[in-house]
């Protein structure tokens, strides 16, 4: 017992270091595997309000350009109105897809914090559980897909950007509907990689990629990007495609959280059938 | 002494704010992420007891993590620096030990000493940080590139800020 005390006194510095280091690694790992820690969401609301304040200042400076972008996009959407896939209401926009009987609701949100240069980038939006945002909802912007909601506090949510090492979004070629898996290799905020595109795909440079609608997060047809170059991997019989992303993550200001209104029904069906979530 | 503590606290808040509100959102180019806040750990006085350095590093990492939404990552990297710092300092000490009242700054210890010391600290910090972020050695080389590029940008900012501090001290 005395020896133990002597040992602790002698190596107190190293033991203290070990304790703190293991504590931080524990936080890190816990955060990676369990996304909902109360300490983290409490801290989210503190930093969230700081980011909100900063965003209000910087947004003011950027207002003119953002207004221009938004009004241009609004005009484009309105001109498509006779295809009647957009309905405008005061709360959000409802998108009825009459073929697949799926229904999505869009909740407008502002980006209050965003990074693009890290390996794993996150975006913070000023919408949270009080506005009905739930984890795993998709986030899009006027130009294309943005990411997937990871954590939600009362008024804020943290979105895993497409610019993240865990990104696996199903995207398809608009030309023939063949689909692959969108990933990000960490090199530049403008480019991502589409892997596992099957060999029968009639891919060409400049082809448009859209979200495939597989998985619950994104409706079908949201722009993903444009084929920049591609190569055939003969070993795996798949194409690996470099994609120029449709979304300009550096200038992201406004985004929409996509609520899948049939989500609960789908989840229940999955539980009944014992199938894992497709995401 | 009390004066120095107040000054260090102000410096702490300033560096965390600069890191979390400005540097986080500045994008000079792909892969470049300057982490100027490490300067705080570099310039702590020599006399700071090692256990206090550890606690300060831990808290500093936590505060930066709050801004980056990555609880644990900066904490782990900073805590390691807090552990390593006394060892690096003692191995780099002049023959007669550090003079009382001197600080680990360019004007206090000279250029060569300061560059070596901050190079070791920043490199270790970035190395741990970026590999923890990726959490595997799968992308070893692209992560390494990220470490080097950010090391250069952080180093430049640290040196520039040294000259800024130097000026203000001359006036006082």
């Amino acid at each position: 017992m005395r020896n133990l005390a002597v040992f602790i006194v002698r190596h107190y510095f190293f033991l203290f270091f070990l304790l703190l280091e293991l504590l931080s690694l524990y936080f890190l790992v816990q955060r990676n595997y369990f996304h909902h820690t109360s300490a983290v969401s409490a801290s989210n609301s503190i930093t969230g309000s700081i980011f909100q304040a900063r965003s209000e200042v910087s947004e003011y400076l950027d207002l003119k350009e953002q207004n221009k972008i938004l009004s241009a996009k609004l005009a484009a959407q309105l001109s498509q109105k006779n295809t009647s896939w957009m309905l405008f209401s005061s709360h959000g926009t409802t998108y009825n897809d009459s073929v697949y009987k799926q229904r999505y609701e869009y909740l407008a949100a502002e980006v209050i914090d965003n990074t693009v240069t890290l390996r794993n980038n996150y975006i913070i939006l000023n919408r949270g559980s009080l506005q009905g945002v739930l984890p795993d909802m998709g986030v899009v912007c006027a130009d294309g897909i943005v990411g997937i909601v990871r954590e939600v506090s009362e008024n804020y949510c943290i979105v895993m950007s497409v610019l993240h090492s865990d990104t696996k979004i199903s995207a398809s070629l608009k030309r023939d509907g063949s689909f692959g898996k969108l990933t990000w290799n960490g090199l530049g905020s403008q480019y991502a990689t589409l892997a596992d595109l099957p060999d029968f795909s009639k891919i060409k440079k400049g082809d448009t990629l859209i979200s495939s609608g597989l998985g619950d997060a994104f409706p079908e047809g949201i722009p993903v990007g444009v084929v920049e170059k591609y190569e055939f991997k003969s070993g795996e019989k798949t194409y690996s495609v470099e994609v120029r992303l449709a979304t300009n993550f550096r200038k992201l200001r406004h985004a929409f959280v996509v609520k899948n209104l049939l989500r609960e029904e789908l989840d229940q069906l999955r539980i009944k059938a014992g199938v894992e979530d497709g995401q | 002494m009390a004066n120095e503590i107040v000054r260090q606290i102000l410096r702490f808040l300033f560096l965390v704010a600069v890191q979390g509100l400005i540097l986080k959102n500045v994008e000079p180019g792909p892969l470049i992420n300057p982490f100027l806040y490490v300067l705080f750990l570099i310039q702590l006085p020599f006399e700071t007891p090692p256990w206090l350095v550890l606690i300060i590093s831990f808290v500093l990492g936590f505060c930066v993590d709050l801004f980056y939404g990555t609880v644990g990552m900066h904490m782990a990297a900073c805590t390691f620096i807090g552990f390593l710092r006394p060892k690096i300092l003692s191995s780099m000490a002049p023959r007669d030990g550090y003079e009382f009242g001197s600080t680990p700054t360019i004007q206090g210890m000279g250029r060569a000493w300061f560059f070596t010391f901050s190079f070791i600290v920043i490199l270790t910090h970035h190395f741990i940080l970026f590999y923890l972020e990726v959490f595997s050695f799968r992308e070893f080389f692209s992560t390494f590139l990220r470490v080097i590029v950010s090391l250069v940008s952080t180093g430049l900012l640290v040196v520039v800020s040294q000259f800024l501090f130097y000026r203000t001290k001359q006036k006082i």
Side-chain angles (χ1 to χ4, degrees):
Chain A
M1 200 59 210
R2 199 174 157 274
N3 283 345
L4 181 70
V6 168
F7 178 79
I8 291 177
V9 169
R10 185 172 295 163
H11 297 283
Y12 87 96
F13 183 60
F14 181 71
L15 293 174
F16 189 37
F17 157 71
L18 215 60
L19 177 80
L20 292 183
E21 190 74 24
L22 288 178
L23 194 66
S24 11
L25 289 177
Y26 171 73
F27 278 134
L28 185 69
V29 172
Q30 194 198 36
R31 163 94 178 186
N32 274 354
Y33 293 108
F34 310 102
H35 289 296
H36 317 287
T37 49
S38 52
V40 170
S41 43
S43 69
N44 282 350
S45 51
I46 299 170
T47 42
S49 49
I50 298 178
F51 286 141
Q52 179 94 59
R54 192 214 35 209
S55 162
E56 269 158 24
V57 174
S58 58
E59 183 158 77
Y60 183 72
L61 305 172
D62 199 25
L63 212 55
K64 217 170 176 177
E65 192 188 351
Q66 289 296 329
N67 269 339
K68 228 183 258 172
I69 296 172
L70 278 185
S71 50
K73 285 294 164 184
L74 188 62
Q77 299 288 23
L78 283 173
S79 66
Q80 286 186 349
K81 213 179 174 186
N82 42 8
T83 62
S84 83
W85 55 278
M86 279 282 189
L87 281 167
F88 288 90
S89 72
S90 57
H91 297 294
T93 314
T94 309
Y95 163 24
N96 276 303
D97 189 319
S98 55
V99 180
Y100 292 95
K101 296 285 184 206
Q102 276 201 339
R103 190 145 167 266
Y104 293 96
E105 193 174 282
Y106 291 73
L107 178 72
E110 270 171 43
V111 174
I112 60 166
D113 191 62
N114 183 16
T115 59
V116 300
T117 51
L118 299 171
R119 180 67 184 93
N120 295 328
N121 295 290
Y122 291 93
I123 297 163
I124 303 183
L125 302 178
N126 64 347
R127 292 282 182 266
S129 56
L130 290 180
Q131 290 83 30
V133 179
L134 294 172
D136 294 341
M137 283 181 170
V139 177
V140 302
C141 69
D143 295 326
I145 58 169
V146 170
I148 291 170
V149 177
R150 272 290 171 236
E151 273 175 56
V152 177
S153 64
E154 279 192 357
N155 290 303
Y156 302 101
C157 65
I158 293 189
V159 178
M160 181 180 99
S161 166
V162 169
L163 310 178
H164 193 290
S165 60
D166 290 342
T167 291
K168 272 180 213 114
I169 294 170
S170 176
S172 63
L173 272 185
K174 202 174 181 182
R175 174 194 298 276
D176 62 1
S178 57
F179 59 86
K181 187 178 70 182
L182 192 77
T183 56
W184 188 60
N185 61 7
L187 304 172
S189 64
Q190 279 293 304
Y191 296 96
T193 313
L194 185 77
D196 298 345
L197 191 70
D199 54 353
F200 54 76
S201 167
K202 299 183 191 74
I203 188 168
K204 268 190 194 136
K205 197 183 161 188
D207 272 359
T208 308
L209 281 164
I210 54 175
S211 60
S212 69
L214 298 171
D216 304 332
F218 299 103
E220 192 182 343
I222 306 282
V224 169
V226 174
V227 174
E228 187 84 3
K229 56 183 184 207
Y230 59 93
E231 58 172 332
F232 185 68
K233 291 189 167 176
S234 49
E236 298 163 29
K237 299 219 164 188
T238 55
Y239 286 103
S240 177
V241 186
E242 193 179 316
V243 181
R244 174 181 271 276
L245 292 169
T247 308
N248 184 351
F249 285 91
R250 285 165 180 273
K251 292 207 167 171
L252 201 58
R253 274 282 176 208
H254 299 274
F256 302 92
V257 180
V258 185
K259 294 185 190 174
N260 184 342
L261 301 176
L262 297 178
R263 169 92 178 246
E264 209 168 309
E265 191 185 322
L266 269 169
D267 284 347
Q268 279 171 4
L269 188 64
R270 282 206 183 94
I271 290 166
K272 228 174 170 179
V275 186
E276 288 288 310
D277 194 329
Q279 269 295 305
Chain B
M1 188 64 194
N3 202 353
E4 180 64 21
I5 291 174
V6 172
R7 193 186 294 162
Q8 290 293 345
I9 291 175
L10 288 180
R11 198 169 284 170
F12 182 95
L13 295 176
F14 175 72
L15 282 174
V16 169
V18 165
Q19 185 66 49
L21 296 176
I22 302 174
L23 288 181
K24 183 186 167 196
N25 298 84
V26 173
E27 295 133 20
L31 306 184
I32 303 176
N33 292 289
F35 289 109
L36 178 63
Y37 78 95
V38 187
L39 176 65
F40 187 78
L41 297 179
I42 294 176
Q43 57 76 53
L44 276 173
F46 288 120
E47 299 96 66
T48 325
W51 57 270
L52 187 60
V53 176
L54 258 189
I55 297 178
I56 291 174
S57 326
F58 187 75
V59 175
L60 178 66
F62 177 72
C63 291
V64 175
D65 268 333
L66 285 186
F67 282 96
Y68 277 80
T70 53
V71 176
M73 228 166 69
H74 291 269
M75 267 157 108
C78 285
T79 310
F80 192 76
I81 294 298
F83 171 68
L84 215 60
R85 188 176 183 271
K87 296 186 190 333
I88 305 173
L89 281 181
S90 65
S91 74
M92 289 179 66
R95 203 149 28 111
D96 315 328
Y98 296 103
E99 265 176 58
F100 187 77
S102 61
T103 48
T105 51
I106 286 192
Q107 65 270 30
M109 295 304 296
R111 269 179 211 177
W113 187 92
F114 182 79
F115 287 162
T116 322
F117 179 56
S118 39
F119 176 79
I120 298 173
V121 170
I122 299 171
L123 180 69
T124 319
H125 174 270
H126 285 19
F127 201 83
I128 299 173
L129 188 71
F130 286 105
Y131 280 96
L132 272 184
E133 187 186 22
V134 181
F135 220 75
S136 80
F137 289 106
R138 211 178 17 166
E139 303 169 355
F140 187 86
F141 290 105
S142 70
T143 309
F144 195 71
L145 185 69
R146 203 177 274 273
V147 171
I148 298 301
V149 169
S150 295
L151 169 76
V152 172
S153 65
T154 308
L156 278 177
L157 281 181
V158 164
V159 170
V160 166
S161 64
Q162 279 293 303
F163 284 112
L164 291 179
F165 280 127
Y166 182 62
R167 261 204 202 156
T168 51
K169 272 194 182 155
Q170 287 254 309
K171 270 181 211 157
I172 297 163

